[in-house]
């Protein structure tokens, strides 16, 4: 154990598959339109893995973490923990994080998958920070990666999922530092399992929400009550941001960047307007990537790092919500 130390984010990396699916592509296989998707969600395109050629969440996560290690100027052998936040693990066992750790060449680093749907990256940050504060872990890779295009139905009956989701991965490298000013300032993690039925992937006919008529095609596919999740998100986003600012003794003006799960442009704009924040502080990139679940937050962070908009000394609040239902934040001093 060492004395009090800070934690810094020293590298960011992302990965998307080669395959792009535009709204116009979707028009060809389901009853929808480019105009409807743009107006209702802000999405223009999404990326899709080639699952039939063996591409999986592991490939994306691996590319992202290798890029993040490069950015951090760190070798994989220096990592002592890998946390892979995903709801798209290749298999129930082994954890995808273990195969990933072996492939990038860690030296028996701890590795596990963390399942918290669209809150995966935020819950992963809070978990990783807590573990680092025990003094047992110095260099941690946190990856948010998902491939929901595998479990959405590309036809009119599954269109609310098909238009919304895309595949991607984003990784950060967290490192202990003697600068105690750097690290997590405040956080929140919540759930309401009574609302599980709003978003699920039924495996048997007994998993379907009450009142939903069983049809074979639904098994293993995403079921979402879009309107219910939408209303929940519009109310919850501002509440959890306010709660975190209260815990930190800060106001929205004290935070330099709000990096939120990219669920729907309208949900994000409602939260941005509620706090009267400028576009430069409350970021939206859903147009290019769609909703990439646990990857959406590091994709935004990577955009900001590439544009040199994020600087040491700034404060960043990460905000997520999603299946569970779950919602939470992680407020950092960079
Ligand atoms: N294309 C064209 N028309 C459509 C489509 C479509 N893809 N989907 C629905 N419509 C039609 C409907 O039939 C309906 O027509 P009607 O008025 O004639 O009956 C109309 O559009 C409105 O339908 P709604 O379902 O009310 O559409 P809504 O505005 O709610 O948008 C959407 C649907 C985009 C799914 C929205 O509800 C949403 O974004 N919800 C939030 C989802 C979310 O954020 N999930 C995040 C969590 S993800 C995780 O944790 C894994």
């Amino acid at each position: 154990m060492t004395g009090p130390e800070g934690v810094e984010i020293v590298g960011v990396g992302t990965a998307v598959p080669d395959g792009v699916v535009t709204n116009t592509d979707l028009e060809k296989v389901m009853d929808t339109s480019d105009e409807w998707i743009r107006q209702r969600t802000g999405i223009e395109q999404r990326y899709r893995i080639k699952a039939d050629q063996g591409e999986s969440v592991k490939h994306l996560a691996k590319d992202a973490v290798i890029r993040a290690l490069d950015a951090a100027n760190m070798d994989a052998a220096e990592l002592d923990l890998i946390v892979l936040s995903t709801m798209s693990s290749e298999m129930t066992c082994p954890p995808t994080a273990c195969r990933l750790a072996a492939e990038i060449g860690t030296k028996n680093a701890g590795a596990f998958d963390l399942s918290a749907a669209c809150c995966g990256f935020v819950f992963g940050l809070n978990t990783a920070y807590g573990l680092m504060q025990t003094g047992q872990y110095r260099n941690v890779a946190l990856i948010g990666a998902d491939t929901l295009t595998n479990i959405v139905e590309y036809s009119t009956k599954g269109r609310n999922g098909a238009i919304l989701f895309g595949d991607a991965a984003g990784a950060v490298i967290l490192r202990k530092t003697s600068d105690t000013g750097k690290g997590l300032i405040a956080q929140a993690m919540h759930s309401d399992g009574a609302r599980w039925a709003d978003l699920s992937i039924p495996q048997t006919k007994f998993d379907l929400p009450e009142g939903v008529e069983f049809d074979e095609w639904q098994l293993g596919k995403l079921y979402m009550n879009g309107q219910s999740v939408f209303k929940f998100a519009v109310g919850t986003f501002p509440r959890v941001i306010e709660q975190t600012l209260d815990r930190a003794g800060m106001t929205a003006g004290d935070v330099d960047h709000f990096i939120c799960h990219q669920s729907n442009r309208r949900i994000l704009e409602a939260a941005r307007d509620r706090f009267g924040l400028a576009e430069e502080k409350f970021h939206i990139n859903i147009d290019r990537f769609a909703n990439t679940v646990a990857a959406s937050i590091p994709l935004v962070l990577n955009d900001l790092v590439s544009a040199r908009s994020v600087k040491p000394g700034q404060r960043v609040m990460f905000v997520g919500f999603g299946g569970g239902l779950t919602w939470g934040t992680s407020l950092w001093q960079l």
Side-chain angles (χ1 to χ4, degrees):
M1 293 277 279
T2 54
E5 286 178 294
V7 173
E8 57 185 336
I9 300 173
V10 288
V12 184
T14 61
V16 291
D18 292 336
V20 177
V21 180
T22 63
N23 295 344
T24 315
D25 294 329
L26 292 180
E27 283 177 359
K28 293 172 192 148
V29 291
M30 64 189 73
D31 180 15
T32 191
S33 68
D34 176 47
E35 193 195 354
W36 192 96
I37 299 171
R38 280 173 197 255
Q39 272 181 5
R40 298 286 178 129
T41 69
I43 296 166
E44 295 176 17
Q45 62 168 41
R46 72 281 298 137
Y47 292 86
R48 186 179 182 186
I49 56 161
K50 294 186 180 70
D52 57 349
Q53 292 174 31
E55 272 183 358
S56 81
V57 74
K58 175 164 59 73
H59 300 100
L60 295 177
K62 184 176 166 184
D63 287 349
V65 76
I66 287 171
R67 286 172 190 149
L69 282 164
D70 272 357
N73 204 12
M74 189 186 285
D75 194 87
E78 295 174 66
L79 289 174
D80 34 35
L81 185 68
I82 294 191
V83 181
L84 173 59
S85 295
T86 186
M87 55 181 274
S88 315
S89 297
E90 288 175 329
M91 296 177 258
T92 314
C93 183
T96 303
C98 297
R99 294 181 71 195
L100 173 66
E103 286 188 20
I104 64 172
T106 68
K107 294 206 165 121
N108 299 128
F112 61 88
D113 294 358
L114 185 154
S115 170
C118 295
C119 274
F121 190 80
V122 169
F123 284 19
L125 266 181
N126 295 339
T127 303
Y129 182 81
L131 289 169
M132 293 175 87
Q133 289 310 93
T134 66
Q136 309 292 311
Y137 304 96
R138 297 202 66 78
N139 298 324
V140 177
L142 168 67
I143 308 139
D146 269 296
T147 52
L148 260 65
T149 65
N150 267 344
I151 51 146
V152 296
E153 164 69 18
Y154 284 94
S155 71
T156 300
K157 56 193 176 191
R159 66 184 174 180
N160 76 349
I163 60 151
L164 213 52
F165 293 101
D167 302 334
V172 291
I173 306 299
L174 305 170
R175 187 171 64 192
K176 276 293 191 77
T177 167
S178 55
D179 184 345
T180 52
K182 288 179 191 278
L184 195 141
I185 304 168
Q187 51 120 320
M189 295 195 279
H190 297 287
S191 76
D192 181 1
R195 301 190 56 160
W196 71 271
D198 281 347
L199 221 158
S200 64
I201 306 164
Q203 301 301 319
T204 76
K205 66 177 181 181
F206 304 108
D207 295 336
L208 278 168
E210 226 176 285
V212 176
E213 207 175 313
F214 172 70
D215 200 330
E216 206 69 44
W217 75 266
Q218 291 164 311
L219 298 184
K221 299 279 185 199
L222 182 94
Y223 170 83
M224 183 173 70
N225 182 341
Q227 277 188 10
S228 180
V229 178
F230 189 96
K231 281 187 200 140
F232 168 82
V234 168
T236 303
F237 247 104
R239 270 200 299 278
V240 76
I241 290 173
E242 252 161 23
Q243 180 192 39
T244 312
L245 290 171
D246 279 353
R247 286 179 177 177
M250 292 178 184
T251 65
D254 296 322
V255 178
D256 298 286
H257 300 281
F258 289 84
I259 302 186
C260 301
H261 170 53
Q262 303 288 300
S263 49
N264 182 314
R265 175 177 278 278
R266 290 185 293 148
I267 294 172
L268 292 162
E269 284 176 346
R272 185 160 74 190
D273 293 349
R274 158 75 185 72
F275 292 100
L277 294 167
E279 285 184 24
E280 307 81 71
K281 283 187 84 164
F282 196 105
H283 306 279
I284 302 180
N285 69 3
I286 194 171
D287 50 328
R288 287 182 288 141
F289 301 108
N291 178 343
T292 56
V293 193
S296 77
I297 287 177
L299 284 179
V300 175
L301 179 62
N302 191 60
D303 275 359
L304 298 181
V305 169
S306 304
R308 298 183 191 281
S309 307
V310 154
K311 299 177 184 70
Q314 289 189 328
R315 295 191 191 107
V316 178
M317 192 188 296
F318 302 98
V319 190
F321 83 93
L325 297 178
T326 50
W327 62 102
T329 58
S330 197
L331 174 59
W332 282 67
Q333 176 74 54
L334 300 180

